[in-house]
Amino acid sequence: MKNDVNRQFRLKSRPVGRIKTSDFDLVEARIPEPGAGEALVRNLYLSLDPTNRIWMSDMDQYMPPVKIGEVMRGGGIGVVVKSNSSAYQVGDHVSGLVGWQDYTIAGEKPEQRMGVIPKGLPVPLTAMMGACGMTGLTAYFGLLELGMPKPGETVVVSAAAGAVGSVVGQIAKIKGCRAVGIAGGPDKCKWLTDELGFDAAVDYKRAGWKEELARATPNGIDVNFENVGGEIMEAVMARMNLFSRMPLCGMISGYNTGEPMRGDFGPILMKRIAIRGFIVIDFMAKYAEGSRQLAEWVAQGKIKHRETIVDGLEQAPTAVNKLFDGENMGKLIVKLADPEKF
Amino acid sequence: MKNDVNRQFRLKSRPVGRIKTSDFDLVEARIPEPGAGEALVRNLYLSLDPTNRIWMSDMDQYMPPVKIGEVMRGGGIGVVVKSNSSAYQVGDHVSGLVGWQDYTIAGEKPEQRMGVIPKGLPVPLTAMMGACGMTGLTAYFGLLELGMPKPGETVVVSAAAGAVGSVVGQIAKIKGCRAVGIAGGPDKCKWLTDELGFDAAVDYKRAGWKEELARATPNGIDVNFENVGGEIMEAVMARMNLFSRMPLCGMISGYNTGEPMRGDFGPILMKRIAIRGFIVIDFMAKYAEGSRQLAEWVAQGKIKHRETIVDGLEQAPTAVNKLFDGENMGKLIVKLADPEKF
């Protein structure tokens, strides 16, 4: 790759169904020059997340959709290479919405703000996007603040082998709950039970998985951390207990369809379920507390995490589909540049 | 009618679609004799409520379905005519699950327990089933405990001319909110705005009602007190604000269909809506407080209520359909006997 350009994926058309490389223009732009109060960030890692698919669409959503012609929005980690701001020092690692590009301008205004990652963390840098970063924090706040699990209760999480789900189940175990994951395929299920300590994992690709879910949750379900929607959500909701809680984190099965993400409201009424939709940014004021706790658990080996790292920005539009195809385990990351070089 | 028999509607078959008289057997049973610790209650009023339809079905529900051959379950008010219990004095008015019959046995065990209505209330006896009773309490706790309306916020309620909805809107006004009701037909809408003080009423039977809902809620919707489900629920949810609340009280549009009561979960996620299904009995510990406050508001004229009284037990199976046909305004009651005679 050339080092004197800023490669950018700009959204060309809103994907219909599966994301295609042709939905983007890969443009070679000039590397931007930071103004007063700004810093230039060389992006190192791009975080691929289901919410990327939402931002590409014009469905009703929690941030403005990415406009056609705009650089694709995406979270990630970079290193400050030039700075005209006292908030950012050259060499600082920063995390935030870096976008699908090689370079980003960080600034002091809220919409340009990036978080400086503390030095000397007991975990690798990439963990700050995953288990100790946005996906870990999503699991942490969604489960603890909204799911309110009590020791002995049963927590079920869908997309359990994903970056969020895998942490949800491990926090549930730390909190003394029975943790049951739903995932696709024997490898993922084996990872959940044998390596991460889930009490049971249900493979939704197997015939009879609903009966397996019933066997795995003999006392019903007290907390459903919902990532998937659709048929899996309905099967879980049918087993939820009176006064159970359901943090609604995502409905990944519906993002590619363009249809309303419908589900049965009957159990909500009959079981008096408390459902709360949430986005991790709702808990921004408590990020530091959450990251510190997660890093401690990771360092202690109480939370294990796995990363799938894809090499090169140009892979982003194809790699992101792994999230929807059920191919991915753990945190899906695109490596843009070698952190050792900066 | 004969005075020496206990007429009972026993469930003969689970209704398919609309409730039919032929779904019941009208039986002349012997008037039961109260045992030790029991009292005989002459039922005076039967409360007809949407939940009756749920109890007739075998859908997954919050109490056991009425069994085939059992007396139909129903709330109501009666007068104690014989007593072998210190908990009930002859002449006491009691409320509880009297059933679709002329006489009931009240007892001291939880499942036979009835509430003795205090004497000297500032409201008519029938109000103790409606605005100050179960339906009023449903409105009170659902709106205040789960909806948590703040002054200046917009509260929308569906089935707004019903016994619950009409009280929801009036409590919303007492609490300083903008109250918007959704109801069917100009008479109901006029009643809501001209007599009950709702800020706006949207007639869902008119073409363009969704645009009317948008005009009636210029600042979006902060609390959706949901009674109806289906298309109305989806239209309201599409206008709900970030971090809005949705007490889910009922989905009356779905009770006759036998199908799952599906709705769009998308807004829950994107707007971070808090939904809680509930049944008034969840708040049983606070009934006294709620009834006292409601009776005060009714006596002060801050809550107005309307009753539709149908005469004669034999009318119950046909009259209950008014709730589903949208014919009813206010509290729907069947009068079984003249309270003056006891």
Side-chain angles (χ1 to χ4, degrees):
Chain A
M1 62 162 280
K2 303 184 211 167
N3 267 319
D4 54 347
V5 298
N6 181 24
R7 294 173 310 158
Q8 300 180 317
F9 274 110
R10 295 187 186 167
L11 188 62
K12 188 160 107 190
S13 52
R14 304 208 178 277
V16 176
R18 198 179 156 84
I19 298 161
K20 297 178 299 299
T21 303
S22 61
D23 292 321
F24 299 88
D25 280 318
L26 181 54
V27 175
E28 296 196 347
R30 196 180 296 186
I31 297 173
E33 199 57 40
E38 292 183 340
L40 179 67
V41 176
R42 177 62 173 106
N43 300 329
L44 301 172
Y45 296 105
L46 197 58
S47 169
L48 295 181
D49 302 287
T51 195
N52 295 155
R53 180 67 183 82
I54 296 176
W55 294 338
M56 292 173 198
S57 79
D58 55 5
M59 69 168 85
D60 202 7
Q61 56 193 277
Y62 59 93
M63 288 178 77
V66 175
K67 290 193 194 115
I68 300 297
E70 272 186 349
V71 177
M72 178 58 204
R73 186 187 296 140
I77 284 180
V79 57
V80 176
V81 290
K82 282 187 191 176
S83 180
N84 300 322
S85 162
S86 59
Y88 308 99
Q89 308 302 321
V90 171
D92 279 353
H93 287 128
V94 293
S95 70
L97 291 174
V98 299
W100 288 18
Q101 57 187 346
D102 287 315
Y103 291 90
T104 311
I105 293 291
E108 294 171 7
K109 286 177 287 187
E111 67 275 19
Q112 282 193 315
R113 193 89 205 169
M114 295 207 190
V116 177
I117 297 172
K119 297 193 197 309
L121 285 173
V123 297
L125 189 58
T126 50
M128 297 312 290
M129 282 181 295
C132 308
M134 286 302 146
T135 48
L137 291 167
T138 300
Y140 183 88
F141 292 114
L143 180 62
L144 298 181
E145 301 269 332
L146 306 180
M148 296 175 286
K150 291 186 274 293
E153 287 191 333
T154 298
V155 173
V156 169
V157 60
S158 50
V164 173
S166 57
V167 175
V168 168
Q170 293 178 88
I171 299 177
K173 289 306 298 176
I174 290 170
K175 296 295 177 182
C177 297
R178 177 172 176 80
V180 177
I182 303 177
D187 292 347
K188 289 182 180 179
C189 288
K190 198 172 152 53
W191 180 56
L192 295 177
T193 53
D194 295 4
E195 293 191 42
L196 303 191
F198 280 55
D199 295 286
V202 175
D203 179 358
Y204 71 85
K205 292 184 177 171
R206 277 176 56 162
W209 67 269
K210 291 182 190 177
E211 291 71 29
E212 205 187 328
L213 176 65
R215 282 190 298 273
T217 57
N219 301 319
I221 295 167
D222 301 293
V223 180
N224 170 29
F225 192 106
E226 183 60 51
N227 288 317
V228 168
E231 191 188 355
I232 291 175
M233 179 173 82
E234 285 205 0
V236 172
M237 288 183 73
R239 292 195 56 73
M240 288 180 76
N241 290 330
L242 270 183
F243 303 110
S244 53
R245 287 82 61 200
M246 179 168 152
L248 179 62
C249 177
M251 287 179 287
I252 193 169
S253 70
Y255 297 169
N256 275 344
T257 66
E259 295 294 317
M261 294 177 278
R262 291 216 167 83
D264 188 0
F265 277 62
I268 309 175
L269 178 63
M270 300 306 177
K271 319 284 193 64
R272 287 93 110 188
I273 300 172
I275 303 196
R276 241 298 296 278
F278 77 102
I279 314 281
V280 65
I281 54 175
D282 300 343
F283 300 96
M284 202 180 285
K286 297 182 177 178
Y287 277 0
E289 165 209 321
S291 275
R292 202 179 314 116
Q293 177 63 78
L294 288 162
E296 187 182 316
W297 284 334
V298 169
Q300 292 169 344
K302 288 183 182 167
I303 290 185
K304 300 191 180 83
H305 60 114
R306 181 184 284 210
E307 292 164 347
T308 302
I309 299 186
V310 175
D311 204 26
L313 175 64
E314 63 282 4
Q315 304 297 327
T318 44
V320 72
N321 280 303
K322 287 179 193 283
L323 297 165
F324 304 94
D325 296 344
E327 271 186 50
N328 178 59
M329 277 170 85
K331 179 71 192 172
L332 184 59
I333 293 170
V334 179
K335 186 174 177 181
L336 306 184
D338 187 349
E340 303 298 322
K341 292 195 183 160
F342 298 90
Chain B
M1 62 163 282
K2 304 183 212 170
N3 268 319
D4 55 345
V5 297
N6 181 24
R7 295 174 309 157
Q8 302 181 315
F9 275 111
R10 296 187 186 166
L11 188 62
K12 189 160 108 192
S13 52
R14 305 207 178 278
V16 176
R18 199 178 155 83
I19 298 161
K20 296 179 299 299
T21 303
S22 61
D23 292 320
F24 299 88
D25 281 318
L26 181 54
V27 175
E28 297 197 345
R30 195 179 299 185
I31 297 173
E33 199 56 43
E38 292 183 341
L40 179 66
V41 175
R42 176 61 172 106
N43 301 329
L44 302 173
Y45 297 106
L46 197 57
S47 170
L48 295 182
D49 302 287
T51 195
N52 295 155
R53 180 65 182 83
I54 297 176
W55 295 337
M56 293 172 197
S57 79
D58 55 5
M59 69 168 84
D60 202 5
Q61 55 193 276
Y62 58 94
M63 287 177 78
V66 175
K67 290 192 194 115
I68 300 297
E70 272 186 350
V71 177
M72 178 58 204
R73 186 186 297 140
I77 283 179
V79 57
V80 176
V81 290
K82 282 187 190 176
S83 179
N84 300 321
S85 163
S86 59
Y88 308 98
Q89 309 301 321
V90 171
D92 278 353
H93 287 129
V94 293
S95 70
L97 290 174
V98 299
W100 288 18
Q101 56 187 345
D102 287 316
Y103 291 91
T104 311
I105 292 292
E108 295 171 7
K109 287 177 287 186
E111 67 275 17
Q112 283 193 315
R113 192 90 205 170
M114 295 207 191
V116 177
I117 297 172
K119 297 193 199 307
L121 285 174
V123 297
L125 190 58
T126 50
M128 298 312 290
M129 283 181 293
C132 309
M134 285 302 147
T135 47
L137 291 167
T138 300
Y140 182 87
F141 292 115
L143 180 62
L144 297 182
E145 301 268 333
L146 305 181
M148 295 176 284
K150 292 186 274 294
E153 287 191 332
T154 298
V155 173
V156 169
V157 60
S158 49
V164 173
S166 57
V167 176
V168 168
Q170 293 179 87
I171 298 177
K173 289 306 299 175
I174 290 170
K175 295 295 176 184
C177 298
R178 178 173 175 81
V180 177
I182 302 178
D187 291 348
K188 289 182 180 179
C189 288
K190 199 171 150 51
W191 180 55
L192 295 177
T193 52
D194 294 4
E195 294 191 41
L196 303 191
F198 280 57
D199 295 286
V202 175
D203 179 357
Y204 71 85
K205 291 182 177 171
R206 277 177 56 162
W209 68 269
K210 290 182 190 177
E211 291 72 29
E212 206 187 328
L213 176 65
R215 282 190 297 273
T217 56
N219 301 318
I221 295 167
D222 302 295
V223 180
N224 171 29
F225 192 106
E226 184 59 52
N227 288 317
V228 168
E231 191 188 355
I232 291 175
M233 178 173 83
E234 285 206 358
V236 172
M237 288 183 72
R239 291 196 56 74
M240 289 180 76
N241 290 330
L242 270 184
F243 303 111
S244 53
R245 287 83 61 200
M246 179 169 152
L248 179 62
C249 178
M251 287 179 287
I252 193 170
S253 70
Y255 297 169
N256 275 342
T257 67
E259 296 294 316
M261 293 175 279
R262 291 215 168 84
D264 188 2
F265 276 62
I268 309 175
L269 177 62
M270 300 306 176
K271 319 283 193 65
R272 287 92 111 188
I273 300 173
I275 303 196
R276 240 299 295 280
F278 77 103
I279 313 282
V280 65
I281 54 175
D282 300 344
F283 299 96
M284 202 180 286
K286 297 182 177 178
Y287 277 0
E289 164 209 322
S291 275
R292 202 179 314 116
Q293 177 63 80
L294 288 162
E296 188 182 315
W297 284 334
V298 168
Q300 291 169 343
K302 288 184 182 167
I303 290 185
K304 300 191 182 82
H305 59 113
R306 183 184 282 211
E307 292 164 348
T308 302
I309 299 186
V310 175
D311 203 27
L313 175 64
E314 63 282 5
Q315 304 298 329
T318 44
V320 71
N321 281 303
K322 287 180 192 283
L323 297 166
F324 304 95
D325 296 342
E327 271 185 50
N328 178 59
M329 276 170 87
K331 179 71 192 173
L332 183 60
I333 294 170
V334 179
K335 185 174 177 182
L336 306 184
D338 187 350
E340 302 299 321
K341 294 193 180 159
F342 297 91

